[in-house]
Amino acid sequence: MRKEKLFKNTVVGVLSQGMAALTGAVTQFVFLRFMLKEYLGAKGLFSNILDFLSLAELGMGLVLVYSMYQPIAEKDERKLIALTQFYRRAYHLIAAMIFCSGLCLLPFLSFFIENMDAVPHAQMIFFMYLISSSSSYLWVYKQSILNADQRIYITHLYSLIFSVVQCVLQVTFLITTHDFFIFLIIQTVMVVSKNILLNHKAGQLYPFLNTKEKILLTKEEKKSIYKNVFAMFNHRVGAVVLGSTDNLLISKFIGIIYCGFYGNFKMIINLMNSFINQFFNAMLSSVGNMSAMESKDTVYKTFQYLHFLSFWIYTFCTVSFIELSNPVLMQILNLMGVEDAADYGFTFPTILMIGLNFYVVGIRKVPLTFKEAMGLLWADRYKPIVEAVMNVVVSVAAIQRMGIAGILFGTIVSMTATSMWVEPLVLFKQGFKRSMGEFWGRNFIYFLVSGAMIALTHYVDMQLPLTGWAEIFAKLGVCVVMPNMTIALCFCRTKEFGELFKAIGSILFKTKSAEPVETDTANA
């Protein structure tokens, strides 16, 4: 049952995110065609500023999902009601904190924008982004039970519908009115509407959550939540600094227009992540359920083949991004009739740094997912702070010599010096309770193979005497064949390779497994 839910969540998630990525790309390119370059930069910059304000959320979403695994397994409805009511109050407070913090920041926007006059109505645009961000927290508290009960596919279905509707409306009004404010109003209405309907759906599937009776958590339960929230807040700080300082530094030291150029490549990264993350998002609830019901040996065995899978996926995607992002973006911009399309491209060192940053984040994903699903948030609570400070210091120093590539270099250095080894250390020491020798031996081989594939694929692609779409399709063929065939040949005799394809086969063909029988909390 767990594998079937994982499969269902992954498939629906991929379809949903695939559509979201497609509609997002369409909206982005229409935006490029009809709006000022400065608006494109402001779009990315203000989103990153609000990511910082969202630190007020403290990482409660993940803590709430983790705290629900056990009561769902035990069918403890009163505990689930108490948790939901507790987080409802917390999220309403968070929405108010984000909104007030954003209002306080309004007079100081010029600090982040090198030329404030280049962005017409910048403060009003930021205010509308603020309303959209803060209001989204008002109706999310019931949705966490869908994730904890391995029903994230319901969230994906709603996201699919609303992403299509939002794209149609935004593209229509961009083309007909060229009005950025209508664009933002549509975005806000869609976000709020989706959350309200999802909250209603969760109430239908779990009607006991609609009770008017007030049920309080015990002091011990609140203490445990506060402890995990404190740890998760530190992790959120690290994640936000790593993911959101890029545009701030680019806008401050290089110019807001380049935020828009960088945003195009981030869009490609987000497109790849939108597919990959669906598997890991679906996996999170399955791992949490597994760690509560299965032995550590079973969980570790699953970890091994999923880590191998992530290495394979991120090697292929990184190679493809490095070789294809520039030419694909140029061709699409030319088709859209964007003037000076060549100005939107980046040099190879910058593209390489963006790709390596994507790879390092990706190769961490399985250890991080298992660590979070097993509730191991406290041991490395100060690691994200060290990582965040190191990232800013190295990035600011490197940007003077390397430009945008220096910002990404700082991110890679900070992750490699902290998260890459601290997160697995906590997982193996407190979660699996076993030596890390085998893990690091495998990782060393994975890194060597990934580096070799990046270098060799780039060398082969440089020899291709082609341009335009012919060049793109030829490079695509090289990217598909070379990394995947090499990895398959190198690892076909390993236990990770065998276990991976055994697990995929059991999901696709629904072969019997040794998992205990599960009973759903409610009927979807």
Side-chain angles (χ1 to χ4, degrees):
M1 180 66 73
R2 186 186 302 120
K3 287 181 179 179
E4 291 181 11
K5 284 184 175 181
L6 174 61
F7 180 68
K8 189 174 185 179
N9 287 333
T10 304
V11 170
V12 176
V14 167
L15 292 174
S16 169
Q17 290 304 306
M19 181 57 69
L22 176 61
T23 56
V26 170
T27 304
Q28 177 84 345
F29 285 117
V30 172
F31 196 97
L32 283 168
R33 177 66 178 82
F34 293 100
M35 301 301 294
L36 295 173
K37 292 179 182 178
E38 287 78 8
Y39 278 149
L40 181 65
K43 186 165 163 278
L45 175 64
F46 292 162
S47 295
N48 284 154
I49 292 175
L50 288 167
D51 283 342
F52 275 98
L53 295 183
S54 72
L55 285 172
E57 193 264 349
L58 303 174
M60 281 195 172
L62 181 62
V63 176
L64 172 56
V65 171
Y66 170 71
S67 64
M68 284 183 167
Y69 289 140
Q70 199 67 37
I72 285 176
E74 296 173 354
K75 305 190 185 307
D76 188 346
E77 293 185 357
R78 290 186 65 82
K79 178 69 173 292
L80 291 170
I81 293 170
L83 286 168
T84 303
Q85 292 178 350
F86 175 81
Y87 282 98
R88 177 181 180 274
R89 295 189 294 271
Y91 271 122
H92 284 186
L93 178 61
I94 287 166
M97 290 172 61
I98 291 175
F99 185 74
C100 292
S101 300
L103 289 180
C104 294
L105 196 60
L106 265 176
F108 305 101
L109 285 182
S110 58
F111 176 80
F112 301 101
I113 302 176
E114 187 179 33
N115 182 9
M116 191 74 170
D117 294 333
V119 186
H121 313 292
Q123 290 185 324
M124 180 59 69
I125 292 170
F126 178 77
F127 180 72
M128 295 183 71
Y129 269 103
L130 178 62
I131 292 175
S132 176
S133 177
S134 58
S135 62
S136 66
Y137 289 97
L138 297 175
W139 295 279
V140 298
Y141 55 95
K142 285 184 184 178
Q143 297 175 32
S144 296
I145 197 170
L146 298 173
N147 297 353
D149 201 21
Q150 302 180 69
R151 286 190 171 139
I152 197 172
Y153 66 88
I154 296 174
T155 305
H156 292 322
L157 286 173
Y158 278 74
S159 297
L160 188 153
I161 295 169
F162 276 90
S163 65
V164 172
V165 174
Q166 178 173 319
C167 175
V168 171
L169 292 175
Q170 286 184 323
V171 166
T172 300
F173 280 96
L174 277 176
I175 293 173
T176 56
T177 68
H178 302 182
D179 193 322
F180 192 24
F181 293 100
I182 295 178
F183 178 91
L184 293 175
I185 290 170
I186 292 170
Q187 176 178 297
T188 302
V189 170
M190 290 295 104
V191 168
V192 171
S193 299
K194 183 184 74 172
N195 284 328
I196 290 175
L197 291 177
L198 268 171
N199 227 41
H200 178 70
K201 181 65 175 179
Q204 287 182 322
L205 292 173
Y206 306 89
F208 57 86
L209 295 180
N210 300 321
T211 181
K212 300 298 182 181
E213 178 187 2
K214 289 186 177 180
I215 302 177
L216 301 177
L217 296 171
T218 65
K219 289 184 178 180
E220 291 74 17
E221 290 168 340
K222 288 182 180 179
K223 183 178 180 181
S224 176
I225 288 174
Y226 293 146
K227 179 180 177 181
N228 283 330
V229 165
F230 173 75
M232 197 60 213
F233 172 72
N234 289 345
H235 289 287
R236 285 272 296 151
V237 169
V240 168
V241 170
L242 284 176
S244 302
T245 53
D246 295 349
N247 275 326
L248 298 179
L249 293 174
I250 291 171
S251 176
K252 182 66 178 176
F253 291 99
I254 299 178
I256 194 168
I257 289 179
Y258 289 91
C259 289
F261 297 166
Y262 177 62
N264 292 328
F265 290 91
K266 286 293 290 183
M267 179 188 67
I268 299 173
I269 292 291
N270 292 337
L271 175 63
M272 293 189 293
N273 275 327
S274 67
F275 290 100
I276 300 170
N277 285 345
Q278 295 320 300
F279 175 76
F280 291 104
N281 290 340
M283 184 177 69
L284 182 64
S285 59
S286 296
V287 171
N289 179 271
M290 184 191 304
S291 63
M293 301 178 66
E294 302 282 1
S295 68
K296 284 183 171 56
D297 287 339
T298 300
V299 178
Y300 178 65
K301 183 178 178 182
T302 304
F303 169 84
Q304 285 181 301
Y305 70 73
L306 290 177
H307 187 51
F308 170 69
L309 176 62
S310 74
F311 146 72
W312 191 336
I313 290 173
Y314 281 100
T315 298
F316 167 64
C317 290
T318 300
V319 168
S320 300
F321 173 82
I322 291 171
E323 297 306 311
L324 294 169
S325 57
N326 245 339
V328 168
L329 182 62
M330 293 305 100
Q331 289 301 314
I332 293 176
L333 291 176
N334 284 328
L335 287 175
M336 293 290 298
V338 176
E339 296 181 0
D340 303 321
D343 294 342
Y344 288 79
F346 281 156
T347 61
F348 178 76
T350 301
I351 296 296
L352 178 63
M353 285 297 169
I354 298 174
L356 291 178
N357 182 61
F358 168 74
Y359 177 83
V360 174
V361 171
I363 205 69
R364 290 173 45 205
K365 194 153 289 182
V366 170
L368 181 61
T369 298
F370 273 73
K371 186 178 77 71
E372 291 179 349
M374 297 172 77
L376 304 175
L377 306 174
W378 183 254
D380 61 341
R381 59 195 179 278
Y382 297 119
K383 179 269 299 180
I385 306 300
V386 175
E387 183 179 31
V389 172
M390 185 182 299
N391 174 60
V392 173
V393 171
V394 177
S395 294
V396 171
I399 196 174
Q400 306 298 331
R401 292 178 175 271
M402 302 169 62
I404 294 175
I407 298 174
L408 297 156
F409 174 75
T411 305
I412 294 170
V413 168
S414 63
M415 284 192 292
T416 304
T418 55
S419 296
M420 281 285 287
W421 62 272
V422 173
E423 289 163 355
L425 177 64
V426 172
L427 175 64
F428 275 76
K429 185 176 180 180
Q430 298 189 7
F432 297 143
K433 301 187 184 300
R434 61 171 66 220
S435 168
M436 298 181 65
E438 183 181 17
F439 171 78
W440 282 118
R442 284 291 177 190
N443 257 0
F444 180 72
I445 296 172
Y446 292 163
F447 296 155
L448 283 180
V449 172
S450 297
M453 287 303 95
I454 291 172
L456 289 174
T457 304
H458 183 65
Y459 175 78
V460 171
D461 284 343
M462 289 293 289
Q463 312 309 311
L464 298 174
L466 301 168
T467 58
W469 287 107
E471 175 193 13
I472 291 172
F473 286 115
K475 285 186 174 182
L476 177 61
V478 175
C479 291
V480 169
V481 173
M482 184 171 286
N484 292 316
M485 288 296 294
T486 301
I487 291 173
L489 290 173
C490 289
F491 295 96
C492 62
R493 295 182 180 275
T494 63
K495 61 182 180 181
E496 290 87 356
F497 189 95
E499 289 294 336
L500 172 62
F501 281 89
K502 180 181 176 182
I504 292 173
S506 68
I507 293 172
L508 293 176
F509 302 106
K510 298 183 179 180
T511 55
K512 293 181 179 180
S513 66
E515 293 180 5
V517 176
E518 297 177 2
T519 304
D520 288 345
T521 304
N523 293 322

